[in-house]
Structure formats: C-alpha cells, structure tokens
Amino acid sequence: MKTITKKEIQEIAKIYYFAFDDEFLEIVFNDFCKFLNNIEVLNSINTDNVEQTDYCTPQSFNQLRKDEPEIVKNPEEYTKKRKETISKIHIS
C-alpha cells in the first residue's frame, strides 16, 4: 500500500501556502491515508470483462450550447452590479 508521511503533507501544504497546526495535520494525515486505502481497494477490483465507458449517459456528445458572440449595447450595465458589490467589500 502506498503511504504518505506527515512531513510530505507539510511539504505539499507549504507549496500551496497552507499552514497546519499539529491537530489539523493529524486529521489531514488520517483522512489522506484513508483516501489512499480506498484507491488501493478500487485498484484491486477485477475489471477485465467490464466494457469501458466515457460517459454515464448513453449520449456521447457535447450538450453545451453553441457559443455565439453577442454585441452588447451597454456594457456598463453588465459591470455596474459587480462594481457596487466590490465597493461594499472592506478588507481590513
């Protein structure tokens, strides 16, 4: 089974600017070990006769809308509410 050390978790956290106290490090360590164990269980399942699927639905095509450019007459109207929201935020 692949394992991870608490030191490795701290190094990963440092890369992403997270700081863990000892109590939270213990929680993250235990949860990540459980996660790795679950991955190992999934990898042990025999899938030799299982057909590969790409989607959970019978359709295998993109159902998103077509991206069509739109000319905006009043672009200020779209950004007005955003500017009002930002002005209400006060960072201290």
Side-chain angles (χ1 to χ4, degrees):
M1 173 171 75
K2 173 71 176 140
T3 59
I4 192 165
T5 66
K6 290 180 184 179
K7 183 176 181 181
E8 289 172 318
I9 290 175
Q10 287 175 317
E11 288 170 2
I12 293 168
K14 187 177 180 181
I15 291 170
Y16 294 100
Y17 302 102
F18 290 120
F20 295 153
D21 61 12
D22 290 340
E23 182 180 351
F24 191 67
L25 175 61
E26 188 68 29
I27 292 168
V28 171
F29 175 73
N30 289 330
D31 286 349
F32 200 78
C33 287
K34 289 176 190 176
F35 170 76
L36 291 176
N37 186 49
N38 289 338
I39 296 297
E40 185 175 328
V41 169
L42 288 173
N43 284 334
S44 70
I45 297 172
N46 182 350
T47 59
D48 290 343
N49 296 320
V50 178
E51 185 178 335
Q52 180 178 344
T53 59
D54 294 330
Y55 299 94
C56 296
T57 63
Q59 297 112 350
S60 60
F61 58 89
N62 188 346
Q63 296 181 11
L64 298 176
R65 67 169 169 76
K66 185 177 177 184
D67 191 15
E68 297 178 6
E70 179 182 338
I71 297 175
V72 179
K73 293 181 182 176
N74 298 319
E76 298 83 20
E77 193 63 34
Y78 285 90
T79 58
K80 180 181 176 185
K81 184 142 183 90
R82 179 70 179 149
K83 289 177 184 175
E84 290 171 1
T85 304
I86 291 174
S87 67
K88 291 180 184 177
I89 298 174
H90 183 313
I91 301 174
S92 50

